[in-house]
């Protein structure tokens, strides 16, 4: 869903910068209104996805270790 919003935002920003009277002004608008916000958004989405995957992997490893300990906890050989 956010992809559609990003494409719409980029379209508006690029068209706005293309309508500027000078090349320098158009490049400034393009960089500050299109490139930098897009790079920031992609960075934030990537970091959030990475953190979510790491948290999920940690949770799965913790549950796996709990199951392993739970299975070994019932096995006593009688020694103290």
């Amino acid at each position: 869903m956010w992809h559609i919003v990003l494409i719409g935002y980029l379209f508006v920003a690029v068209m706005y910068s293309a309508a500027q009277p000078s090349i320098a002004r158009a490049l400034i608008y393009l960089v500050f209104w299109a490139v930098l916000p897009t790079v920031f958004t992609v960075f934030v989405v990537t970091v959030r996805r990475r953190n979510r995957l790491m948290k999920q992997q940690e949770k799965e490893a913790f549950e796996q270790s709990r199951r392993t300990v739970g299975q070994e906890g019932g096995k006593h050989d009688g020694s103290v």
Side-chain angles (χ1 to χ4, degrees), residues 40-73:
F40 177 74
T41 303
V42 169
F43 173 74
V44 168
V45 168
T46 304
V47 167
R48 290 185 69 176
R49 182 175 294 145
R50 183 194 65 199
N51 290 344
R52 187 179 68 236
L53 289 174
M54 284 176 35
K55 192 173 187 178
Q56 182 181 2
Q57 289 174 350
E58 288 175 359
K59 183 179 177 183
E60 290 172 358
F62 176 72
E63 289 177 358
Q64 180 67 25
S65 67
R66 276 186 47 197
R67 278 183 265 162
T68 305
V69 170
Q71 292 173 355
E72 291 175 357

Side-chain angles (χ1 to χ4, degrees), residues 8-52:
Y9 175 79
L10 284 176
F11 178 78
V12 171
V14 169
M15 290 297 119
Y16 188 79
S17 67
Q20 298 305 314
S22 68
I23 298 293
R25 193 168 169 183
L27 289 175
I28 289 171
Y29 277 101
L30 183 69
V31 168
F32 285 104
W33 283 24
V35 175
L36 292 178
T38 303
V39 168
F40 177 74
T41 303
V42 169
F43 173 74
V44 168
V45 168
T46 304
V47 167
R48 290 185 69 176
R49 182 175 294 145
R50 183 194 65 199
N51 290 344
R52 187 179 68 236

